[in-house]
Amino acid sequence: MIRPITIQDAQQIVDIYNYYVINSIVTLDLVSFSAQEFEDKIKTISNDFPFIVYEENNEVLGYAYANTFRTKPAYKNTVELTVYIKHTELGKRIGKKLYSELLFQLKNKNYHVVIGGLTLPNDASVKLHENFGFEKVAHFKEVGYKFGKWHDVGFWQLTL
């Protein structure tokens, strides 16, 4: 089931996210988050943008949301997307289901452009974005440093 996020989801969401903070370059965050920090994030983001979860048997297996791309008013119809899937549930098309719903909601709210920023390499996320019609529009080399190495970041864009 895909549904809007609630504050009660914070612990499950932070557990999903912190796995990637600790074990991968998918996020360039370096320090794990607390459930309280994610509660604040949920409140802030869900006030203005879609923030959804994928749930099975009362367990959150993934989440996705849109957020501010840049703060200048002229960018108000452009958003940046985020999706994370519980690491034990990868390959089950949960990300595709979440993105389908998120893009549907954003189109209905008259957003014009959606952007996905990816730490590279990340073949699964590149494939997810390109399957929805996103096109790579930028590649920044060695802009993030994690696990003793420099990492590239790419941006993919879709016009709704």
Side-chain angles (χ1 to χ4, degrees):
M1 162 172 78
I2 294 177
R3 61 168 175 77
I5 196 163
T6 68
I7 292 300
Q8 291 73 30
D9 297 321
Q11 186 61 59
Q12 291 185 76
I13 296 294
V14 79
D15 290 344
I16 291 169
Y17 188 70
N18 282 343
Y19 172 84
Y20 293 101
V21 172
I22 295 165
N23 297 293
S24 81
I25 62 161
V26 171
T27 175
L28 292 178
D29 275 318
L30 302 174
V31 178
S32 296
F33 287 78
S34 69
Q36 179 61 54
E37 288 170 312
F38 257 73
E39 285 181 22
D40 296 343
K41 187 174 197 159
I42 290 167
K43 289 175 190 171
T44 301
I45 294 171
S46 63
N47 280 338
D48 297 317
F49 301 99
F51 197 144
I52 56 177
V53 299
Y54 182 91
E55 179 183 65
E56 281 184 8
N57 301 316
N58 297 314
E59 180 183 7
V60 174
L61 302 180
Y63 66 94
Y65 62 86
N67 203 355
T68 304
F69 169 64
R70 299 194 66 178
T71 58
K72 293 179 181 163
Y75 294 111
K76 71 179 180 178
N77 295 101
T78 299
V79 293
E80 188 169 355
L81 306 183
T82 297
V83 62
Y84 282 92
I85 309 304
K86 188 173 183 177
H87 72 281
T88 58
E89 304 298 319
L90 295 172
K92 296 182 179 179
R93 305 177 69 82
I94 295 170
K96 182 179 181 183
K97 292 173 186 174
L98 283 165
Y99 253 30
S100 290
E101 177 61 25
L102 186 60
L103 291 169
F104 175 78
Q105 289 186 27
L106 291 168
K107 192 170 189 170
N108 284 339
K109 292 179 180 275
N110 295 316
Y111 285 99
H112 183 63
V113 171
V114 292
I115 305 230
L118 319 173
T119 307
L120 301 173
N122 186 338
D123 293 339
S125 195
V126 168
K127 183 178 177 184
L128 173 69
H129 285 82
E130 291 181 351
N131 281 344
F132 278 99
F134 284 75
E135 295 179 12
K136 187 176 184 181
V137 293
H139 188 123
F140 298 102
K141 296 182 179 187
E142 298 185 357
V143 293
Y145 190 78
K146 186 173 182 178
F147 300 142
K149 294 170 76 175
W150 289 103
H151 300 283
D152 295 359
V153 173
F155 285 89
W156 274 254
Q157 174 179 325
L158 175 68
T159 302
L160 296 174

